[in-house]
Amino acid sequence: MSAAVDGCVQPTGPGLPGTESRALVVQKFGGSSLATPDHVRRVACRIAQDRAAGRRLVIVVSAMGDATDELLESLRVLNPRAPAREVDMLLATGEQVSIALLASALWALGCPAVSLTGWQAGVRTDRVHRKAQIAAMQPSRVLRELEAGRVVIVAGFQGLSPDGEITTLGRGGSDTTAVALAAALGADECEIYSDVDGVYTADPRVVRSARRISIISYDEMMEMAHLGAQVLQIRAVECALVNDVTIIARSTFTAGPGTRITEVGAVEDHSLARAVAHDRHVARLALCGVPDRPGVAHRLFAALAHQHINVDMIIQSQSRNGKNDIAFTVGSDELPHAEETARGVGRELGAEAVLAEDGYGKVSLIGAGMASNPGVAAGMFAALADAGVNIEMISTSEIKISCLLRREVVDTAVRAVHDAFNLGRESPLPGSTRAGGAVSAQGRG
Ligand code: ADP
Ligand code: ASP
Ligand code: MG
């Protein structure tokens, strides 16, 4: 039974018959999909239509628009070093606004819905504020609400620690809530909706010729997420890999197949280079003139790890007069804590200077087939050189090459590398046209 209201198909009455046999789907809607009350209404219409089509739905939502950034900005004005517990208490409010508004919008369409906070939905985490890991899912309340025929709306990004404290899962953490719920509920699908219709060969906001990838392996997607492609949070992809959940990344605003993130065997090709990712929020620190003896690097990086600060690139210079420099990068939002820690360790070790500077970005080329092809790195450096971009630091792995750059040249660098490897081409042949781009670029380098 359904009726059209406000352009939406609206189911009538609580719960549809045959609940257990209907597909169970977890859908996550991000901030960009919920920016205004109008957006919330559109999402509600979409959900009501899906329910009318016979699906049982658990919906995970983020804070509206830039709400999380705005909360962080208010806090920065009052206390940039606020206790992490208070930061989590504040940030969790963003998602709570969204769940209540979306549930209310669904009721307005006649669709029975219930909003649940992370802790009500059974998201149990460790004690690490701002970057909590999910320790267990106890979704009994979610199951009860589903059985009662309601659409269950869960606040993403938040959980409860063993001490009864509210924690948050790191930026973009609602993606992880969605995948963890899909795994715990044994859902048929986990759909992540945002303002893009899938995962592209580069951020489509930066590279107009970027191409949608139809299927991508967990490994490549993890690397992309780790290197800055914010379309999915890395921990969500890890959680999907471990629990064998296929993620479908789709657009809230248009219909289309999106991108399937799934296991390696199903990937369409093993191209040399697959995508370019970038991260605009990188800070660089250096301890200059520290003694060249065993244990120095350990002292520094153990102190940073103790503060739960993720260190990315590391370079240690050659020793001169028994001293050397250690430079490393962290996310810009970690700079205040990283600087404090580095200065403490620097004093202890008698460092000649401690440098800390924001204003960097990182551009990375990713592809599972890169490990065995030395021309790829040369091709990337040639593309950057041709674009007049200076490289500040380099790091490589089997599956990626990353370059640290000044933040203002990130867009230029992303486009140059994407073009050099012809990543925007339709239906490229595995390892042929893209390799050609790399080889010719190498020839110039
Ligand atoms: P949401 O608010 O729904 O969580 P996000 O802003 O976190 O959405 O993620 C979607 C954004 O990710 C897109 O607007 C796009 O600019 C960006 N993005 C970065 N890299 C990629 C990529 N490779 N493919 C698709 N989107 C990307
Ligand atoms: N609202 C949080 C953030 O902006 C979580 C999320 O969007 O997934 O990072
Ligand atoms: Mg996101």
Side-chain angles (χ1 to χ4, degrees):
M1 292 194 294
S2 65
V5 171
D6 259 356
C8 296
V9 179
Q10 158 199 259
T12 53
L16 301 169
T19 302
E20 311 71 32
S21 61
R22 293 187 290 127
L24 173 60
V25 180
V26 175
Q27 299 182 334
K28 178 254 166 177
F29 293 90
S32 52
S33 308
L34 301 164
T36 64
D38 240 26
H39 284 77
V40 175
R41 199 196 329 266
R42 279 173 76 179
V43 167
C45 286
R46 205 185 167 122
I47 293 169
Q49 281 169 358
D50 268 6
R51 182 172 180 274
R55 295 166 117 193
R56 291 182 295 152
L57 297 170
V58 175
I59 309 294
V60 175
V61 291
S62 301
M64 293 171 77
D66 297 326
T68 306
D69 288 329
E70 284 157 17
L71 291 170
L72 281 170
E73 182 51 27
S74 306
L75 196 63
R76 198 189 60 76
V77 171
L78 293 169
N79 181 359
R81 290 188 169 79
R85 177 193 183 276
E86 304 308 330
V87 180
D88 276 354
M89 186 63 88
L90 178 72
L91 293 189
T93 62
E95 272 64 19
Q96 215 166 314
V97 170
S98 304
I99 53 172
L101 287 179
L102 183 57
S104 303
L106 281 163
W107 279 110
L109 298 171
C111 179
V114 60
S115 61
L116 299 178
T117 62
W119 67 265
Q120 286 176 314
V123 183
R124 302 287 176 260
T125 73
D126 60 18
R127 295 184 168 84
V128 182
H129 283 289
R130 301 203 62 183
K131 280 184 220 165
Q133 304 238 20
I134 296 179
M137 298 293 289
Q138 297 167 353
S140 50
R141 173 80 186 270
V142 176
L143 287 167
R144 276 205 310 280
E145 299 292 353
L146 279 172
E147 260 164 45
R150 298 187 187 109
V151 174
V152 186
I153 317 282
V154 177
F157 179 53
Q158 53 176 259
L160 194 70
S161 81
D163 306 321
E165 299 285 11
I166 291 176
T167 52
T168 62
L169 309 180
R171 298 306 306 266
S174 302
D175 297 343
T176 304
T177 307
V179 176
L181 265 172
L185 297 168
D188 298 281
E189 276 183 16
C190 181
E191 301 175 335
I192 307 279
Y193 287 90
S194 74
D195 59 352
V196 274
D197 63 345
V199 178
Y200 276 68
T201 50
D203 186 340
R205 287 197 221 192
V206 176
V207 182
R208 285 181 57 187
S209 62
R211 184 178 59 88
R212 185 177 55 79
I213 299 170
S214 52
I215 302 179
I216 188 166
S217 69
Y218 292 120
D219 284 347
E220 284 177 312
M221 192 62 235
M222 276 193 286
E223 203 64 44
M224 283 181 73
H226 173 66
L227 295 169
Q230 87 203 67
V231 62
L232 281 174
Q233 199 205 31
I234 180 167
R235 295 239 305 280
V237 190
E238 283 166 3
C239 183
L241 167 69
V242 170
N243 295 288
D244 200 17
V245 172
T246 294
I247 301 175
I248 306 165
R250 289 218 168 101
S251 162
T252 308
F253 309 111
T254 57
T259 298
R260 294 179 79 81
I261 297 105
T262 190
E263 62 181 71
V264 179
V267 169
E268 57 188 3
D269 70 64
H270 278 280
S271 328
L272 205 55
R274 188 122 166 105
V276 181
H278 70 275
D279 180 351
R280 286 181 211 286
H281 306 287
V282 185
R284 185 176 188 272
L285 295 100
L287 260 66
C288 305
V290 286
D292 183 25
R293 60 172 148 79
V296 167
H298 172 251
R299 177 73 199 88
L300 172 62
F301 294 111
L304 291 161
H306 187 69
Q307 299 293 322
H308 301 285
I309 295 166
N310 292 325
V311 172
D312 185 16
M313 295 170 154
I314 300 175
I315 288 184
Q316 181 167 316
S317 69
Q318 267 194 332
S319 170
R320 38 172 175 75
N321 308 325
K323 301 212 164 188
N324 58 26
D325 303 336
I326 304 176
F328 61 97
T329 64
V330 299
S332 298
D333 58 340
E334 313 232 60
L335 181 59
H337 282 120
E339 182 175 356
E340 203 173 290
T341 308
R343 289 200 185 281
V345 175
R347 268 194 301 277
E348 209 181 280
L349 296 173
E352 287 162 5
V354 176
L355 309 177
E357 197 188 353
D358 200 3
Y360 290 90
K362 185 172 67 170
V363 171
S364 309
L365 181 64
I366 298 137
M370 282 172 19
S372 54
N373 199 313
V376 181
M380 178 167 180
F381 304 150
L384 294 175
D386 286 354
V389 169
N390 192 42
I391 303 171
E392 312 268 342
M393 273 169 130
I394 297 169
S395 77
T396 62
S397 78
E398 286 199 340
I399 195 174
K400 61 104 183 173
I401 303 159
S402 296
C403 296
L404 185 77
L405 319 161
R406 294 295 315 174
R407 187 172 293 158
E408 54 276 12
V409 296
V410 164
D411 285 4
T412 307
V414 171
R415 289 185 200 117
V417 176
H418 192 268
D419 280 359
F421 286 84
N422 293 321
L423 298 181
R425 260 191 209 172
E426 279 303 324
S427 310
L429 295 173
S432 59
T433 49
R434 292 173 184 180
V439 170
S440 64
Q442 182 194 10
R444 290 196 312 276

